[in-house]
Amino acid sequence: MMNKRKWAIACCMLVCMVARAQTIAWKEIAPGVWKGVVGKPEAYDLLKTAGAQPNTNALGKMTKASFPFSNDGIAGMVTDGKTALRFPLDKEEQLYGFGLNFQTVHQRGKILELHVDHYGGKDNGRTHAPTPFYVSSKGYGVFVNAARYIKVYAGSAVRKDSKHPPVSKDRNTDKSWSARPYSDAVEMQVPAAGVEVYVFAGPTPMDAVRRFNLFNGGGVLPPRWGLGFTQRVKSLYTAEEVAKEADAFAEKGFPLDFIGLEPGWQSKAYPGTFAWDPQRYPAPKTFVQQMLSKGIRLNLWINPYVSADAPFYQAIKPYTGSHTVWTGEVPDFNMPQARNAFFEQLKKDQVAIGVSGYKIDEVDGYDYYLWPDVATFPSGTSAEQMRQTFGVLAMRYSAEMFHQKNQRTYGLVRASNAGAVSFPYVIYNDYYNHEDFITALINSGTAGVLWTPEARASKTAEEWLRRFQTVVFSPMAMINAWSSGTKPWSYTEVASQIKEYALLRMRMMPYWYSVFAQYHFAGTPPFYGMGLEDGFKQATKKEATNANLEENPYAEATSKEIKDQYMAGENLLVAPLFTGQKSRKVVLPKGRWYDFYTGAFVGDGTVITVEPGLDKIPVYVKDGGIIPLMPARMHAPKAGEKVDLEIRHYGEKPGSFLLYDDDGETFNYEKGEYSFREIKVEGTKGQFKGTISAPVNGKPNTVGNITWTYMTK
């Protein structure tokens, strides 16, 4: 009897020891990046799935920084087969991140379950890219490397042993009582018996994001043509109709670099055969080459669920999951046999004849579309893990096809996750709220993904123009007309303004291309929110209250969530208007700002109200900002083609800008075949002088004649 009792006591003590929070041992594994381990991490995780390789060279060039927490500031424990993590929060600290959210930028106080899904109109963690990474306004970031549904309490739960507990209040008598008391911690639960955790130092929030992006391999560097204009045509278009649409763009003077073919290019879709339809596309190789001769590339829609009529069905069937999607087999891309069968079909049937990319659809959700969590896969990967990474796997191995061909690609996808920063895909969805699209564009900057606020159709010409204006200032300038058949000129009363902005997109290509080079080589996201902008400082509640009394609207504005304006590259602030708006407020960070179109000074650390009219989307340039432009044209420059530049300088300060150059199409830049040329403007207002560093011998040089424009009035 005593032996049994002692045994029970010993077991109880052991359980208590296992469940007790432990201090995590941290090891600096790259400059400003620390790794800690709790329990026994799973072999299958986000970084391994994506094959992400840190850019240690670029990380080494960043400002040195110390570990941002105290030694006992973070804790983890494993209990009931799950891992709990805790990270401290200061009183005025704000959080950004936790994936591609559409309605909120500030994440403190939220409860989320990070779960790959089609976005359903709620910021609850179910989204296209539920990246388990967050960044603090204090200037650090945290990443949890788990391919699981992660529960997050982002400063929403109060522990009894809290070092800074909320003040207890009597609701009966105290009007300041809150149903959501203050919490001083971020807590997460990972449904696994261990996990890797990474901490990224600042010193600024942007620095933490840069380190995260570089640790994931650096951002994608698209081909130049990917930053041009794209039109996705109606689902059942034929080769003849596609060619006719391309000709219409040329005749009407609208730029076009690539066309997207929707499900009708395949002989069967939902599920797909991944083979050309012989009626709509009787001679695919000839068709693809004819389009290329016109300067138009083709991007093909797929969802990776295999029809029994697919030519490789029998080869892939043994390597698919237990459940189907739309009666199609789900390939287990963790198995080389499945990858070989699937991607060899794409390679020989499409990529080999000149197809330039893919749109990977329906790899996100809803639950009743995809496999259930009880599904099994032959590799042993769980249904949950597959759900969190299926889009990443599809991107990884489709991108490899093009890399093997030394040909860059740029496409669309419906699901992503951490580790996929370097993949050449932009997220899109079927949710169509314009305001929320801008919030998503802001949040893409802290999720390690790209997002396009695509235009499909509109109820009015005003809405069409407003949507198109934001598309121009985004990672992919796209009209998705798969259902509507809408053309840029469909709303005749604004067709001229649409053309003006489409051509502006092309003129700005030197700027956009250089911005994406910074994403790749330095980790700076090409589009991001005000919380990452150096000149922006979030006001505390106390500062905002005092500012109100003193009638200072700037502190009041910066204490709140700003989710309708964003940075496009390091120099541009974009403040869209939406249907029905005649005016809007714009929060200008500290530092002088100038109107993009006129060069007029507009403000410095202030809130302005603007009435731009229908023809303009408000865009502002920071003091000393440099924007390189090229002449408007119908297609992106070809490899090695020289283009003239107009280099604009704004403001009263000297400025500099790194102009990036390579062949624009291949991966030769990975072998050092690229250059950064420094553009400098020195002097004072009225006596500015611009220079550009000389081209480097043996490096790409596509710069023709240069003119200088000093915009400040």
Side-chain angles (χ1 to χ4, degrees), residues 204-238:
T204 68
M206 176 61 89
D207 286 325
V209 171
R210 288 187 182 112
R211 292 187 204 273
F212 173 75
N213 288 338
L214 291 172
F215 188 72
N216 284 272
V220 59
L221 182 57
R224 277 194 176 94
W225 57 261
L227 299 178
F229 192 82
T230 180
Q231 174 87 358
R232 302 204 69 86
V233 298
K234 291 194 75 172
S235 186
L236 297 180
Y237 261 24
T238 64

Side-chain angles (χ1 to χ4, degrees), residues 206 210 213 515-516 518-528 570:
M206 176 61 89
R210 288 187 182 112
N213 288 338
V515 163
F516 271 89
Q518 289 299 318
Y519 188 34
H520 178 73
F521 290 101
T524 305
F527 300 90
Y528 56 91
E570 62 180 297

Side-chain angles (χ1 to χ4, degrees), residues 60-131:
K61 295 178 181 178
M62 292 190 65
T63 303
K64 291 185 178 180
S66 57
F67 189 72
F69 296 101
S70 61
N71 290 334
D72 62 347
I74 307 174
M77 66 178 181
V78 178
T79 181
D80 194 26
K82 300 175 183 178
T83 302
L85 302 168
R86 186 169 77 250
F87 307 87
L89 284 175
D90 285 351
K91 186 79 172 178
E92 298 290 347
E93 198 171 349
Q94 187 50 260
L95 304 177
Y96 309 97
F98 295 117
L100 188 67
N101 294 302
F102 284 73
Q103 296 181 339
T104 55
V105 174
H106 291 175
Q107 300 306 314
R108 184 159 187 169
K110 300 282 289 294
I111 298 176
L112 309 164
E113 184 180 60
L114 304 183
H115 188 306
V116 167
D117 201 353
H118 174 74
Y119 183 72
K122 297 179 180 178
D123 278 1
N124 59 5
R126 282 180 168 252
T127 184
H128 302 278
T131 312

Side-chain angles (χ1 to χ4, degrees), residues 181-218:
Y182 162 79
S183 168
D184 65 351
V186 173
E187 295 182 278
M188 300 190 202
Q189 185 186 67
V190 182
V195 70
E196 294 178 348
V197 185
Y198 295 84
V199 171
F200 301 86
T204 68
M206 176 61 89
D207 286 325
V209 171
R210 288 187 182 112
R211 292 187 204 273
F212 173 75
N213 288 338
L214 291 172
F215 188 72
N216 284 272

